[in-house]
Amino acid sequence: MAIPIKIFDVTSKYERNVLDQYNRYQEYVESDTARMRRLHELNRLSPPEVVEFDNPWWKFWRRTERIELEPTPLTDSQFQALLASRKKMQKLQFACEGATEADAPLLAFLRDFGYRNMLTEWNEHHFFMFRPVVRWNGATVELSHLIIGPSHLYIVEWLEGDRSIYHISKEKTWIHQPLKGENTRVVNPLIALTRTEEIVRLFLPSYDGVLQKVTVAPNGYFDHVPTSSTTQFISRSDYDQWLKQVNGRAPIVKAQQIRDVATLLDQTAQMPFRQFMDQ
């Protein structure tokens, strides 16, 4: 699972010191995983089963008996699912300083198509910013998603239609043709990608990796794809192979990658998590 480091303009722990907080995150997860594994081995992660039965009428002082049975141990798959769930929350708490588990149901972005894909399908050697808000020309601007890997920086817009066809054009909107139902219009994602690329190049003028704009429709298709374009169009037919290549390019986290992340974070707006929740 990739590591979220910035959500909109919410204050992130990584803004203090990326490398230090990244190491703290790794240590935190390792210690929590070891603790949970010990509890799992002791069968203390499942609640005990309680059986109640009625006593004879003459035992009026205790009409109901309660017996606790040994809990059913979690299966390996259940335990791994529990660890994965805890890890998602731990990652969120570093990206959004002040967030608690009680806040999770109230955070709509956790259910966002792009957030879920970036979190679960990109490996942990990638850091991602979910629509970061940066300071630019005296104003705050919301960018496309940024995914920073060891050798590639991806600027990404996600299209979530299931087996939809997106008709590419130079207009401000594209035609979205769903499998069922009437056609609709969606904002041309290339506009946001181009603006984001311009700003990122200003923040990282000496970036020596590959800066790649990508429009991704993991469950859909594109029509009228330009023969020459600086943007990649990844559809349902090539998404799995492309993602395999993406993760294959990221075997380790590199020092320059950390420095690039720190530079980008320095340009982002900061809003306390509680203030973000009160908006």
Side-chain angles (χ1 to χ4, degrees), residues 154 232 238-250:
Y154 303 91
Q232 276 188 295
D238 39 39
Y239 178 70
D240 289 342
Q241 181 60 33
W242 175 74
L243 190 64
K244 183 178 179 180
Q245 292 175 350
V246 163
N247 284 325
R249 297 187 191 114

Side-chain angles (χ1 to χ4, degrees), residues 249-269:
R249 297 187 191 114
I252 58 172
V253 172
K254 293 185 176 179
Q256 184 58 51
Q257 177 186 2
I258 294 288
R259 288 192 285 269
D260 291 335
V261 168
T263 300
L264 292 171
L265 283 173
D266 284 343
Q267 304 297 331
T268 58

Side-chain angles (χ1 to χ4, degrees), residues 171-188:
E171 298 179 17
K172 291 184 177 180
T173 58
W174 288 356
I175 295 175
H176 167 217
Q177 181 181 343
L179 181 65
K180 297 180 181 179
E182 298 182 357
N183 292 354
T184 57
R185 287 271 179 179
V186 296
V187 176
N188 182 346

